[in-house]
Amino acid sequence: MRITFDHNGKITLFEGYLTGQNKDKSGQTYLINYDTSKSNKIIIRRSQSDFDTKVVKKSNNIDPLLKITNTSKFSNTLKNEAGSTFDLYYAGTTQLKPTQQGIIDVNKNGDTTDIEQTSQYNVPIYIHGETAQAFFRFFDSRIKASANLPAPDPTTDLNTNEVQSFRSKKIGYRLQVVNAALGTYYYKLMQTNDGGRTWTPLNNDPFHGEGGTALNVKFLSKSLGFVALSQNSGTSSKLYRTEDAGKTFSEVTYDTKKYH
């Protein structure tokens, strides 16, 4: 779920899925879109339906989002950033780490970084368009993740404009932002061998200095993999291939054809 708003709380964009339960206990998902740059109307589309609501992850519960953003600590903190526009990306429970900057417990005074690394419902806030690292990350220590929740997903620290995929349960690859300027992002390729708990650099410049927005990373085997980059506001893209486990990449070229 993504929400864009200013320091006074005025929302200019809202997009995301909401999943709930109908009166007959069946599941229903809605896609909600609101973008003031295009229209003042809120567009709601019914998506997946008639599924077992037991498969809906409690870790994505929306109630903590509503409770955290409805606190004076949340609103007053952002009001102090006069003139700023923010992006809120909510994914339910994610890993909070003591080393992360800007962690704020809305239930206590002052910032808190003396927490243990744990999975918490939290609300990350980014300066609009700057998604390499969360500016603030709000949580409420009174809201506990259910003991019945599945094990915390160690890969949920993936930032916007970053992509990742897994070749097996433990081996995965991520295109991580290392620099950004005017909506153009530059990436390095990271690899994990422990299911995403730790990541190490595999290639510091897989796109040979090219910038854009990462589209995908996919390894079909240990040696053979592909990375893709969108450029020029999505009007063009480039595909790169590796056959040496990500150490080097070469651009995949195609013949250009026109259709009338």
Side-chain angles (χ1 to χ4, degrees):
M1 178 182 297
R2 173 191 173 190
I3 304 174
T4 299
F5 60 100
D6 64 19
H7 66 284
N8 288 319
K10 181 180 179 181
I11 296 174
T12 56
L13 183 144
F14 178 102
E15 57 185 8
Y17 285 94
L18 288 180
T19 298
Q21 190 177 72
N22 297 316
K23 291 182 178 179
D24 61 1
K25 305 300 183 181
S26 63
Q28 182 67 63
T29 297
Y30 293 91
L31 172 61
I32 302 177
N33 185 272
Y34 172 69
D35 187 346
T36 57
S37 67
K38 299 177 181 179
S39 171
N40 288 324
K41 295 182 179 180
I42 299 176
I43 300 174
I44 302 176
R45 295 184 176 92
R46 187 166 62 178
S47 184
Q48 185 180 4
S49 59
D50 298 328
F51 59 89
D52 186 355
T53 55
K54 293 181 180 179
V55 304
V56 178
K57 294 183 178 180
K58 293 182 180 179
S59 56
N60 293 335
N61 193 338
I62 197 174
D63 286 344
L65 168 65
L66 302 178
K67 292 178 180 178
I68 292 170
T69 56
N70 196 37
T71 62
S72 59
K73 188 65 170 293
F74 178 88
S75 59
N76 290 337
T77 300
L78 297 185
K79 280 182 179 180
N80 288 334
E81 304 296 327
S84 296
T85 301
F86 304 100
D87 290 325
L88 180 159
Y89 293 92
Y90 181 69
T93 59
T94 60
Q95 289 277 348
L96 288 185
K97 304 175 183 179
T99 56
Q100 286 176 311
Q101 300 297 313
I103 299 178
I104 298 177
D105 185 350
V106 297
N107 185 38
K108 297 180 179 179
N109 294 324
D111 293 359
T112 175
T113 55
D114 57 349
I115 61 171
E116 296 181 359
Q117 181 169 327
T118 182
S119 181
Q120 293 272 5
Y121 291 106
N122 64 93
V123 181
I125 302 294
Y126 299 81
I127 296 295
H128 182 57
E130 300 179 11
T131 54
Q133 183 175 351
F135 188 55
F136 293 115
R137 193 175 290 269
F138 295 90
F139 79 107
D140 190 335
S141 55
R142 295 170 299 184
I143 303 176
K144 302 297 183 181
S146 169
N148 296 323
L149 289 178
D153 181 356
T155 67
T156 51
D157 60 340
L158 184 72
N159 290 320
T160 305
N161 298 314
E162 297 180 350
V163 294
Q164 69 183 22
S165 67
F166 281 77
R167 183 166 58 85
S168 68
K169 186 176 181 180
K170 292 187 176 181
I171 301 175
Y173 306 87
R174 170 183 293 182
L175 287 172
Q176 181 174 307
V177 173
V178 294
N179 199 3
L182 300 176
T184 298
Y185 301 89
Y186 299 88
Y187 297 88
K188 63 180 176 181
L189 178 64
M190 307 290 288
Q191 181 178 2
T192 179
N193 293 311
D194 57 9
R197 296 188 182 278
T198 59
W199 295 85
T200 57
L202 187 60
N203 188 310
N204 288 324
D205 188 14
F207 296 116
H208 304 289
E210 295 279 357
T213 303
L215 290 176
N216 204 355
V217 53
K218 185 70 174 181
F219 274 72
L220 304 181
S221 67
K222 180 179 179 180
S223 301
L224 179 61
F226 298 86
V227 292
L229 185 74
S230 173
Q231 297 177 303
N232 299 327
S233 301
T235 58
S236 65
S237 60
K238 291 186 177 182
L239 179 68
Y240 294 80
R241 173 189 178 112
T242 180
E243 295 183 2
D244 58 6
K247 294 179 181 178
T248 61
F249 282 85
S250 58
E251 185 180 351
V252 180
T253 59
Y254 301 91
D255 293 333
T256 302
K257 296 183 179 180
K258 293 184 178 181
Y259 296 91
H260 300 282

